[in-house]
PDB file of all heavy atoms in Angstrom:
ATOM      1  N   GLU U   1    -100.377 -19.468 -74.854  1.00  0.00           N
ATOM      2  CA  GLU U   1    -100.283 -18.014 -74.726  1.00  0.00           C
ATOM      3  C   GLU U   1     -98.817 -17.611 -74.720  1.00  0.00           C
ATOM      4  O   GLU U   1     -97.969 -18.267 -74.127  1.00  0.00           O
ATOM      5  CB  GLU U   1    -100.941 -17.591 -73.410  1.00  0.00           C
ATOM      6  CG  GLU U   1    -100.991 -16.127 -73.175  1.00  0.00           C
ATOM      7  CD  GLU U   1    -101.633 -15.789 -71.843  1.00  0.00           C
ATOM      8  OE1 GLU U   1    -102.033 -16.703 -71.106  1.00  0.00           O
ATOM      9  OE2 GLU U   1    -101.716 -14.598 -71.543  1.00  0.00           O
ATOM     10  N   SER U   2     -98.520 -16.522 -75.410  1.00  0.00           N
ATOM     11  CA  SER U   2     -97.166 -15.972 -75.429  1.00  0.00           C
ATOM     12  C   SER U   2     -97.088 -14.826 -74.423  1.00  0.00           C
ATOM     13  O   SER U   2     -97.899 -13.898 -74.471  1.00  0.00           O
ATOM     14  CB  SER U   2     -96.849 -15.463 -76.835  1.00  0.00           C
ATOM     15  OG  SER U   2     -95.578 -14.897 -76.867  1.00  0.00           O
ATOM     16  N   LEU U   3     -96.119 -14.905 -73.516  1.00  0.00           N
ATOM     17  CA  LEU U   3     -95.943 -13.878 -72.494  1.00  0.00           C
ATOM     18  C   LEU U   3     -94.672 -13.086 -72.803  1.00  0.00           C
ATOM     19  O   LEU U   3     -94.024 -13.320 -73.821  1.00  0.00           O
ATOM     20  CB  LEU U   3     -95.861 -14.539 -71.113  1.00  0.00           C
ATOM     21  CG  LEU U   3     -97.050 -15.427 -70.746  1.00  0.00           C
ATOM     22  CD1 LEU U   3     -96.762 -16.182 -69.473  1.00  0.00           C
ATOM     23  CD2 LEU U   3     -98.311 -14.611 -70.608  1.00  0.00           C
ATOM     24  N   THR U   4     -94.285 -12.183 -71.944  1.00  0.00           N
ATOM     25  CA  THR U   4     -93.099 -11.360 -72.189  1.00  0.00           C
ATOM     26  C   THR U   4     -91.809 -12.121 -71.898  1.00  0.00           C
ATOM     27  O   THR U   4     -91.810 -13.137 -71.200  1.00  0.00           O
ATOM     28  CB  THR U   4     -93.137 -10.099 -71.303  1.00  0.00           C
ATOM     29  OG1 THR U   4     -93.177 -10.517 -69.946  1.00  0.00           O
ATOM     30  CG2 THR U   4     -94.343  -9.251 -71.616  1.00  0.00           C
ATOM     31  N   ASN U   5     -90.718 -11.636 -72.443  1.00  0.00           N
ATOM     32  CA  ASN U   5     -89.359 -12.136 -72.185  1.00  0.00           C
ATOM     33  C   ASN U   5     -89.176 -13.614 -72.502  1.00  0.00           C
ATOM     34  O   ASN U   5     -88.486 -14.335 -71.781  1.00  0.00           O
ATOM     35  CB  ASN U   5     -88.948 -11.877 -70.732  1.00  0.00           C
ATOM     36  CG  ASN U   5     -88.873 -10.411 -70.417  1.00  0.00           C
ATOM     37  OD1 ASN U   5     -88.558  -9.607 -71.288  1.00  0.00           O
ATOM     38  ND2 ASN U   5     -89.175 -10.051 -69.193  1.00  0.00           N
ATOM     39  N   GLY U   6     -89.756 -14.080 -73.579  1.00  0.00           N
ATOM     40  CA  GLY U   6     -89.555 -15.471 -73.989  1.00  0.00           C
ATOM     41  C   GLY U   6     -90.234 -16.488 -73.094  1.00  0.00           C
ATOM     42  O   GLY U   6     -89.822 -17.639 -73.050  1.00  0.00           O
ATOM     43  N   MET U   7     -91.276 -16.066 -72.403  1.00  0.00           N
ATOM     44  CA  MET U   7     -92.038 -16.976 -71.548  1.00  0.00           C
ATOM     45  C   MET U   7     -93.340 -17.337 -72.248  1.00  0.00           C
ATOM     46  O   MET U   7     -93.893 -16.545 -73.002  1.00  0.00           O
ATOM     47  CB  MET U   7     -92.351 -16.316 -70.206  1.00  0.00           C
ATOM     48  CG  MET U   7     -91.140 -15.847 -69.445  1.00  0.00           C
ATOM     49  SD  MET U   7     -90.187 -17.182 -68.765  1.00  0.00           S
ATOM     50  CE  MET U   7     -91.066 -17.475 -67.287  1.00  0.00           C
ATOM     51  N   PHE U   8     -93.808 -18.555 -71.973  1.00  0.00           N
ATOM     52  CA  PHE U   8     -95.017 -19.060 -72.610  1.00  0.00           C
ATOM     53  C   PHE U   8     -95.849 -19.831 -71.605  1.00  0.00           C
ATOM     54  O   PHE U   8     -95.313 -20.419 -70.681  1.00  0.00           O
ATOM     55  CB  PHE U   8     -94.668 -20.011 -73.770  1.00  0.00           C
ATOM     56  CG  PHE U   8     -93.883 -19.358 -74.856  1.00  0.00           C
ATOM     57  CD1 PHE U   8     -92.500 -19.370 -74.837  1.00  0.00           C
ATOM     58  CD2 PHE U   8     -94.524 -18.720 -75.894  1.00  0.00           C
ATOM     59  CE1 PHE U   8     -91.769 -18.770 -75.834  1.00  0.00           C
ATOM     60  CE2 PHE U   8     -93.806 -18.117 -76.906  1.00  0.00           C
ATOM     61  CZ  PHE U   8     -92.424 -18.138 -76.871  1.00  0.00           C
ATOM     62  N   ARG U   9     -97.170 -19.816 -71.801  1.00  0.00           N
ATOM     63  CA  ARG U   9     -98.052 -20.671 -71.029  1.00  0.00           C
ATOM     64  C   ARG U   9     -98.288 -21.909 -71.877  1.00  0.00           C
ATOM     65  O   ARG U   9     -98.670 -21.813 -73.040  1.00  0.00           O
ATOM     66  CB  ARG U   9     -99.361 -19.960 -70.724  1.00  0.00           C
ATOM     67  CG  ARG U   9    -100.157 -20.727 -69.732  1.00  0.00           C
ATOM     68  CD  ARG U   9    -101.072 -19.906 -68.869  1.00  0.00           C
ATOM     69  NE  ARG U   9    -100.717 -18.559 -68.488  1.00  0.00           N
ATOM     70  CZ  ARG U   9     -99.977 -18.236 -67.426  1.00  0.00           C
ATOM     71  NH1 ARG U   9     -99.477 -19.168 -66.660  1.00  0.00           N
ATOM     72  NH2 ARG U   9     -99.737 -16.988 -67.125  1.00  0.00           N
ATOM     73  N   ILE U  10     -98.022 -23.087 -71.304  1.00  0.00           N
ATOM     74  CA  ILE U  10     -98.060 -24.347 -72.041  1.00  0.00           C
ATOM     75  C   ILE U  10     -99.049 -25.301 -71.385  1.00  0.00           C
ATOM     76  O   ILE U  10     -99.008 -25.496 -70.170  1.00  0.00           O
ATOM     77  CB  ILE U  10     -96.658 -25.005 -72.066  1.00  0.00           C
ATOM     78  CG1 ILE U  10     -95.638 -24.040 -72.657  1.00  0.00           C
ATOM     79  CG2 ILE U  10     -96.687 -26.312 -72.825  1.00  0.00           C
ATOM     80  CD1 ILE U  10     -94.214 -24.490 -72.482  1.00  0.00           C
ATOM     81  N   ARG U  11     -99.941 -25.882 -72.206  1.00  0.00           N
ATOM     82  CA  ARG U  11    -100.850 -26.918 -71.721  1.00  0.00           C
ATOM     83  C   ARG U  11    -100.253 -28.253 -72.127  1.00  0.00           C
ATOM     84  O   ARG U  11    -100.122 -28.553 -73.300  1.00  0.00           O
ATOM     85  CB  ARG U  11    -102.241 -26.777 -72.313  1.00  0.00           C
ATOM     86  CG  ARG U  11    -103.163 -27.887 -71.818  1.00  0.00           C
ATOM     87  CD  ARG U  11    -104.612 -27.613 -72.062  1.00  0.00           C
ATOM     88  NE  ARG U  11    -105.099 -26.340 -71.535  1.00  0.00           N
ATOM     89  CZ  ARG U  11    -105.441 -26.123 -70.264  1.00  0.00           C
ATOM     90  NH1 ARG U  11    -105.325 -27.088 -69.379  1.00  0.00           N
ATOM     91  NH2 ARG U  11    -105.894 -24.955 -69.878  1.00  0.00           N
ATOM     92  N   LEU U  12     -99.861 -29.037 -71.116  1.00  0.00           N
ATOM     93  CA  LEU U  12     -99.262 -30.343 -71.367  1.00  0.00           C
ATOM     94  C   LEU U  12    -100.318 -31.344 -71.800  1.00  0.00           C
ATOM     95  O   LEU U  12    -101.515 -31.108 -71.636  1.00  0.00           O
ATOM     96  CB  LEU U  12     -98.546 -30.842 -70.111  1.00  0.00           C
ATOM     97  CG  LEU U  12     -97.407 -29.970 -69.591  1.00  0.00           C
ATOM     98  CD1 LEU U  12     -96.855 -30.557 -68.312  1.00  0.00           C
ATOM     99  CD2 LEU U  12     -96.317 -29.822 -70.623  1.00  0.00           C
ATOM    100  N   ASP U  13     -99.879 -32.471 -72.359  1.00  0.00           N
ATOM    101  CA  ASP U  13    -100.805 -33.517 -72.788  1.00  0.00           C
ATOM    102  C   ASP U  13    -101.559 -34.124 -71.611  1.00  0.00           C
ATOM    103  O   ASP U  13    -102.599 -34.743 -71.790  1.00  0.00           O
ATOM    104  CB  ASP U  13    -100.057 -34.607 -73.553  1.00  0.00           C
ATOM    105  CG  ASP U  13     -99.590 -34.111 -74.909  1.00  0.00           C
ATOM    106  OD1 ASP U  13    -100.092 -33.070 -75.374  1.00  0.00           O
ATOM    107  OD2 ASP U  13     -98.715 -34.764 -75.504  1.00  0.00           O
ATOM    108  N   THR U  14    -101.042 -33.935 -70.404  1.00  0.00           N
ATOM    109  CA  THR U  14    -101.709 -34.428 -69.197  1.00  0.00           C
ATOM    110  C   THR U  14    -102.712 -33.413 -68.648  1.00  0.00           C
ATOM    111  O   THR U  14    -103.182 -33.543 -67.530  1.00  0.00           O
ATOM    112  CB  THR U  14    -100.670 -34.741 -68.112  1.00  0.00           C
ATOM    113  OG1 THR U  14     -99.935 -33.546 -67.821  1.00  0.00           O
ATOM    114  CG2 THR U  14     -99.732 -35.835 -68.552  1.00  0.00           C
ATOM    115  N   ASP U  15    -103.013 -32.357 -69.435  1.00  0.00           N
ATOM    116  CA  ASP U  15    -103.932 -31.264 -69.085  1.00  0.00           C
ATOM    117  C   ASP U  15    -103.439 -30.382 -67.942  1.00  0.00           C
ATOM    118  O   ASP U  15    -104.221 -29.643 -67.349  1.00  0.00           O
ATOM    119  CB  ASP U  15    -105.335 -31.780 -68.767  1.00  0.00           C
ATOM    120  CG  ASP U  15    -106.072 -32.179 -70.030  1.00  0.00           C
ATOM    121  OD1 ASP U  15    -105.731 -31.659 -71.107  1.00  0.00           O
ATOM    122  OD2 ASP U  15    -106.984 -33.008 -69.926  1.00  0.00           O
ATOM    123  N   ASP U  16    -102.151 -30.425 -67.623  1.00  0.00           N
ATOM    124  CA  ASP U  16    -101.570 -29.496 -66.658  1.00  0.00           C
ATOM    125  C   ASP U  16    -101.159 -28.225 -67.384  1.00  0.00           C
ATOM    126  O   ASP U  16    -100.744 -28.263 -68.536  1.00  0.00           O
ATOM    127  CB  ASP U  16    -100.342 -30.108 -65.983  1.00  0.00           C
ATOM    128  CG  ASP U  16    -100.709 -31.271 -65.085  1.00  0.00           C
ATOM    129  OD1 ASP U  16    -101.800 -31.250 -64.516  1.00  0.00           O
ATOM    130  OD2 ASP U  16     -99.891 -32.193 -64.969  1.00  0.00           O
ATOM    131  N   LEU U  17    -101.266 -27.088 -66.719  1.00  0.00           N
ATOM    132  CA  LEU U  17    -100.884 -25.803 -67.288  1.00  0.00           C
ATOM    133  C   LEU U  17     -99.614 -25.344 -66.580  1.00  0.00           C
ATOM    134  O   LEU U  17     -99.594 -25.220 -65.352  1.00  0.00           O
ATOM    135  CB  LEU U  17    -102.018 -24.805 -67.074  1.00  0.00           C
ATOM    136  CG  LEU U  17    -102.034 -23.576 -67.941  1.00  0.00           C
ATOM    137  CD1 LEU U  17    -102.139 -23.953 -69.402  1.00  0.00           C
ATOM    138  CD2 LEU U  17    -103.187 -22.688 -67.557  1.00  0.00           C
ATOM    139  N   ILE U  18     -98.532 -25.102 -67.351  1.00  0.00           N
ATOM    140  CA  ILE U  18     -97.261 -24.676 -66.753  1.00  0.00           C
ATOM    141  C   ILE U  18     -96.752 -23.427 -67.446  1.00  0.00           C
ATOM    142  O   ILE U  18     -97.246 -23.036 -68.500  1.00  0.00           O
ATOM    143  CB  ILE U  18     -96.182 -25.790 -66.837  1.00  0.00           C
ATOM    144  CG1 ILE U  18     -95.830 -26.095 -68.293  1.00  0.00           C
ATOM    145  CG2 ILE U  18     -96.611 -27.029 -66.107  1.00  0.00           C
ATOM    146  CD1 ILE U  18     -94.580 -26.911 -68.431  1.00  0.00           C
ATOM    147  N   LEU U  19     -95.752 -22.819 -66.843  1.00  0.00           N
ATOM    148  CA  LEU U  19     -95.063 -21.673 -67.407  1.00  0.00           C
ATOM    149  C   LEU U  19     -93.769 -22.185 -68.015  1.00  0.00           C
ATOM    150  O   LEU U  19     -93.013 -22.903 -67.357  1.00  0.00           O
ATOM    151  CB  LEU U  19     -94.776 -20.674 -66.286  1.00  0.00           C
ATOM    152  CG  LEU U  19     -94.269 -19.316 -66.683  1.00  0.00           C
ATOM    153  CD1 LEU U  19     -95.332 -18.588 -67.483  1.00  0.00           C
ATOM    154  CD2 LEU U  19     -93.938 -18.529 -65.445  1.00  0.00           C
ATOM    155  N   GLY U  20     -93.512 -21.847 -69.275  1.00  0.00           N
ATOM    156  CA  GLY U  20     -92.316 -22.349 -69.937  1.00  0.00           C
ATOM    157  C   GLY U  20     -91.460 -21.225 -70.476  1.00  0.00           C
ATOM    158  O   GLY U  20     -91.948 -20.137 -70.769  1.00  0.00           O
ATOM    159  N   TYR U  21     -90.160 -21.494 -70.611  1.00  0.00           N
ATOM    160  CA  TYR U  21     -89.246 -20.515 -71.191  1.00  0.00           C
ATOM    161  C   TYR U  21     -88.406 -21.200 -72.262  1.00  0.00           C
ATOM    162  O   TYR U  21     -88.289 -22.413 -72.302  1.00  0.00           O
ATOM    163  CB  TYR U  21     -88.366 -19.884 -70.109  1.00  0.00           C
ATOM    164  CG  TYR U  21     -87.500 -20.852 -69.342  1.00  0.00           C
ATOM    165  CD1 TYR U  21     -86.190 -21.075 -69.730  1.00  0.00           C
ATOM    166  CD2 TYR U  21     -87.986 -21.527 -68.250  1.00  0.00           C
ATOM    167  CE1 TYR U  21     -85.387 -21.968 -69.038  1.00  0.00           C
ATOM    168  CE2 TYR U  21     -87.200 -22.413 -67.548  1.00  0.00           C
ATOM    169  CZ  TYR U  21     -85.895 -22.622 -67.951  1.00  0.00           C
ATOM    170  OH  TYR U  21     -85.112 -23.518 -67.265  1.00  0.00           O
ATOM    171  N   VAL U  22     -87.834 -20.414 -73.140  1.00  0.00           N
ATOM    172  CA  VAL U  22     -87.111 -20.931 -74.298  1.00  0.00           C
ATOM    173  C   VAL U  22     -85.693 -21.306 -73.889  1.00  0.00           C
ATOM    174  O   VAL U  22     -85.021 -20.560 -73.175  1.00  0.00           O
ATOM    175  CB  VAL U  22     -87.082 -19.863 -75.408  1.00  0.00           C
ATOM    176  CG1 VAL U  22     -86.356 -20.369 -76.633  1.00  0.00           C
ATOM    177  CG2 VAL U  22     -88.479 -19.438 -75.776  1.00  0.00           C
ATOM    178  N   SER U  23     -85.223 -22.460 -74.365  1.00  0.00           N
ATOM    179  CA  SER U  23     -83.850 -22.875 -74.079  1.00  0.00           C
ATOM    180  C   SER U  23     -82.875 -22.006 -74.871  1.00  0.00           C
ATOM    181  O   SER U  23     -83.239 -21.373 -75.865  1.00  0.00           O
ATOM    182  CB  SER U  23     -83.650 -24.348 -74.441  1.00  0.00           C
ATOM    183  OG  SER U  23     -83.644 -24.518 -75.833  1.00  0.00           O
ATOM    184  N   GLY U  24     -81.641 -21.986 -74.459  1.00  0.00           N
ATOM    185  CA  GLY U  24     -80.616 -21.161 -75.100  1.00  0.00           C
ATOM    186  C   GLY U  24     -80.354 -21.539 -76.540  1.00  0.00           C
ATOM    187  O   GLY U  24     -80.105 -20.685 -77.384  1.00  0.00           O
ATOM    188  N   ARG U  25     -80.420 -22.827 -76.850  1.00  0.00           N
ATOM    189  CA  ARG U  25     -80.160 -23.286 -78.221  1.00  0.00           C
ATOM    190  C   ARG U  25     -81.219 -22.753 -79.176  1.00  0.00           C
ATOM    191  O   ARG U  25     -80.907 -22.294 -80.277  1.00  0.00           O
ATOM    192  CB  ARG U  25     -80.142 -24.806 -78.260  1.00  0.00           C
ATOM    193  CG  ARG U  25     -79.854 -25.385 -79.620  1.00  0.00           C
ATOM    194  CD  ARG U  25     -79.786 -26.884 -79.549  1.00  0.00           C
ATOM    195  NE  ARG U  25     -81.035 -27.433 -79.045  1.00  0.00           N
ATOM    196  CZ  ARG U  25     -81.838 -28.222 -79.744  1.00  0.00           C
ATOM    197  NH1 ARG U  25     -81.515 -28.581 -80.954  1.00  0.00           N
ATOM    198  NH2 ARG U  25     -82.942 -28.680 -79.227  1.00  0.00           N
ATOM    199  N   ILE U  26     -82.479 -22.784 -78.758  1.00  0.00           N
ATOM    200  CA  ILE U  26     -83.562 -22.265 -79.600  1.00  0.00           C
ATOM    201  C   ILE U  26     -83.470 -20.746 -79.690  1.00  0.00           C
ATOM    202  O   ILE U  26     -83.688 -20.151 -80.741  1.00  0.00           O
ATOM    203  CB  ILE U  26     -84.933 -22.717 -79.054  1.00  0.00           C
ATOM    204  CG1 ILE U  26     -85.067 -24.226 -79.226  1.00  0.00           C
ATOM    205  CG2 ILE U  26     -86.068 -22.009 -79.751  1.00  0.00           C
ATOM    206  CD1 ILE U  26     -86.333 -24.816 -78.676  1.00  0.00           C
ATOM    207  N   ARG U  27     -83.101 -20.093 -78.595  1.00  0.00           N
ATOM    208  CA  ARG U  27     -82.972 -18.635 -78.594  1.00  0.00           C
ATOM    209  C   ARG U  27     -81.836 -18.186 -79.514  1.00  0.00           C
ATOM    210  O   ARG U  27     -81.976 -17.213 -80.257  1.00  0.00           O
ATOM    211  CB  ARG U  27     -82.708 -18.160 -77.166  1.00  0.00           C
ATOM    212  CG  ARG U  27     -82.856 -16.677 -76.985  1.00  0.00           C
ATOM    213  CD  ARG U  27     -82.578 -16.306 -75.550  1.00  0.00           C
ATOM    214  NE  ARG U  27     -83.533 -16.906 -74.646  1.00  0.00           N
ATOM    215  CZ  ARG U  27     -84.443 -16.221 -73.965  1.00  0.00           C
ATOM    216  NH1 ARG U  27     -84.505 -14.928 -74.099  1.00  0.00           N
ATOM    217  NH2 ARG U  27     -85.261 -16.824 -73.158  1.00  0.00           N
ATOM    218  N   ARG U  28     -80.717 -18.896 -79.481  1.00  0.00           N
ATOM    219  CA  ARG U  28     -79.581 -18.554 -80.348  1.00  0.00           C
ATOM    220  C   ARG U  28     -79.894 -18.740 -81.825  1.00  0.00           C
ATOM    221  O   ARG U  28     -79.370 -18.026 -82.670  1.00  0.00           O
ATOM    222  CB  ARG U  28     -78.365 -19.411 -80.004  1.00  0.00           C
ATOM    223  CG  ARG U  28     -77.539 -18.878 -78.882  1.00  0.00           C
ATOM    224  CD  ARG U  28     -76.194 -19.559 -78.825  1.00  0.00           C
ATOM    225  NE  ARG U  28     -76.274 -20.999 -78.954  1.00  0.00           N
ATOM    226  CZ  ARG U  28     -76.370 -21.862 -77.948  1.00  0.00           C
ATOM    227  NH1 ARG U  28     -76.409 -21.418 -76.717  1.00  0.00           N
ATOM    228  NH2 ARG U  28     -76.417 -23.152 -78.164  1.00  0.00           N
ATOM    229  N   SER U  29     -80.729 -19.721 -82.142  1.00  0.00           N
ATOM    230  CA  SER U  29     -81.066 -20.017 -83.538  1.00  0.00           C
ATOM    231  C   SER U  29     -82.204 -19.148 -84.058  1.00  0.00           C
ATOM    232  O   SER U  29     -82.601 -19.296 -85.212  1.00  0.00           O
ATOM    233  CB  SER U  29     -81.474 -21.483 -83.665  1.00  0.00           C
ATOM    234  OG  SER U  29     -80.422 -22.316 -83.263  1.00  0.00           O
ATOM    235  N   PHE U  30     -82.728 -18.244 -83.230  1.00  0.00           N
ATOM    236  CA  PHE U  30     -83.815 -17.336 -83.597  1.00  0.00           C
ATOM    237  C   PHE U  30     -85.036 -18.096 -84.127  1.00  0.00           C
ATOM    238  O   PHE U  30     -85.665 -17.688 -85.096  1.00  0.00           O
ATOM    239  CB  PHE U  30     -83.359 -16.317 -84.642  1.00  0.00           C
ATOM    240  CG  PHE U  30     -82.270 -15.420 -84.149  1.00  0.00           C
ATOM    241  CD1 PHE U  30     -80.981 -15.556 -84.617  1.00  0.00           C
ATOM    242  CD2 PHE U  30     -82.533 -14.460 -83.187  1.00  0.00           C
ATOM    243  CE1 PHE U  30     -79.969 -14.739 -84.154  1.00  0.00           C
ATOM    244  CE2 PHE U  30     -81.529 -13.640 -82.725  1.00  0.00           C
ATOM    245  CZ  PHE U  30     -80.238 -13.781 -83.208  1.00  0.00           C
ATOM    246  N   ILE U  31     -85.366 -19.213 -83.501  1.00  0.00           N
ATOM    247  CA  ILE U  31     -86.539 -19.988 -83.890  1.00  0.00           C
ATOM    248  C   ILE U  31     -87.764 -19.342 -83.256  1.00  0.00           C
ATOM    249  O   ILE U  31     -87.805 -19.115 -82.051  1.00  0.00           O
ATOM    250  CB  ILE U  31     -86.401 -21.455 -83.450  1.00  0.00           C
ATOM    251  CG1 ILE U  31     -85.239 -22.090 -84.186  1.00  0.00           C
ATOM    252  CG2 ILE U  31     -87.690 -22.219 -83.691  1.00  0.00           C
ATOM    253  CD1 ILE U  31     -84.917 -23.483 -83.731  1.00  0.00           C
ATOM    254  N   ARG U  32     -88.750 -19.038 -84.085  1.00  0.00           N
ATOM    255  CA  ARG U  32     -89.978 -18.421 -83.586  1.00  0.00           C
ATOM    256  C   ARG U  32     -90.909 -19.489 -83.048  1.00  0.00           C
ATOM    257  O   ARG U  32     -91.156 -20.487 -83.704  1.00  0.00           O
ATOM    258  CB  ARG U  32     -90.683 -17.683 -84.705  1.00  0.00           C
ATOM    259  CG  ARG U  32     -90.143 -16.330 -84.894  1.00  0.00           C
ATOM    260  CD  ARG U  32     -91.085 -15.515 -85.737  1.00  0.00           C
ATOM    261  NE  ARG U  32     -90.293 -14.462 -86.325  1.00  0.00           N
ATOM    262  CZ  ARG U  32     -90.249 -14.186 -87.595  1.00  0.00           C
ATOM    263  NH1 ARG U  32     -90.980 -14.848 -88.436  1.00  0.00           N
ATOM    264  NH2 ARG U  32     -89.486 -13.229 -88.042  1.00  0.00           N
ATOM    265  N   ILE U  33     -91.429 -19.249 -81.887  1.00  0.00           N
ATOM    266  CA  ILE U  33     -92.421 -20.147 -81.293  1.00  0.00           C
ATOM    267  C   ILE U  33     -93.699 -19.340 -81.103  1.00  0.00           C
ATOM    268  O   ILE U  33     -93.698 -18.321 -80.417  1.00  0.00           O
ATOM    269  CB  ILE U  33     -91.918 -20.719 -79.961  1.00  0.00           C
ATOM    270  CG1 ILE U  33     -90.642 -21.508 -80.196  1.00  0.00           C
ATOM    271  CG2 ILE U  33     -92.977 -21.584 -79.316  1.00  0.00           C
ATOM    272  CD1 ILE U  33     -90.009 -22.039 -78.963  1.00  0.00           C
ATOM    273  N   LEU U  34     -94.762 -19.794 -81.743  1.00  0.00           N
ATOM    274  CA  LEU U  34     -96.028 -19.071 -81.724  1.00  0.00           C
ATOM    275  C   LEU U  34     -97.093 -19.873 -80.986  1.00  0.00           C
ATOM    276  O   LEU U  34     -96.978 -21.097 -80.873  1.00  0.00           O
ATOM    277  CB  LEU U  34     -96.492 -18.826 -83.157  1.00  0.00           C
ATOM    278  CG  LEU U  34     -95.522 -18.017 -84.030  1.00  0.00           C
ATOM    279  CD1 LEU U  34     -96.004 -18.006 -85.465  1.00  0.00           C
ATOM    280  CD2 LEU U  34     -95.388 -16.614 -83.495  1.00  0.00           C
ATOM    281  N   PRO U  35     -98.131 -19.200 -80.487  1.00  0.00           N
ATOM    282  CA  PRO U  35     -99.247 -19.938 -79.874  1.00  0.00           C
ATOM    283  C   PRO U  35     -99.840 -20.943 -80.854  1.00  0.00           C
ATOM    284  O   PRO U  35     -99.996 -20.653 -82.038  1.00  0.00           O
ATOM    285  CB  PRO U  35    -100.249 -18.839 -79.523  1.00  0.00           C
ATOM    286  CG  PRO U  35     -99.402 -17.625 -79.347  1.00  0.00           C
ATOM    287  CD  PRO U  35     -98.290 -17.759 -80.341  1.00  0.00           C
ATOM    288  N   GLY U  36    -100.132 -22.136 -80.356  1.00  0.00           N
ATOM    289  CA  GLY U  36    -100.643 -23.213 -81.189  1.00  0.00           C
ATOM    290  C   GLY U  36     -99.575 -24.206 -81.599  1.00  0.00           C
ATOM    291  O   GLY U  36     -99.889 -25.247 -82.172  1.00  0.00           O
TER     292      GLY U  36
END
């Protein structure tokens, strides 16, 4: 799931659900991260 302000809900391979945010390097490079 994509949330506001560059935050994302991420399901890890261990089936844990965490809240994630984009690192500065990815943000500076304007890399799009989409659900899936």
Side-chain angles (χ1 to χ4, degrees):
E1 183 181 0
S2 178
L3 304 171
T4 59
N5 296 329
M7 303 288 276
F8 299 91
R9 190 152 328 273
I10 304 169
R11 179 165 306 279
L12 300 177
D13 290 344
T14 59
D15 285 336
D16 292 328
L17 199 60
I18 64 166
L19 190 64
Y21 60 95
V22 181
S23 72
R25 181 177 59 116
I26 292 177
R27 193 180 297 249
R28 275 194 314 268
S29 300
F30 297 108
I31 296 174
R32 276 195 203 128
I33 300 176
L34 301 172

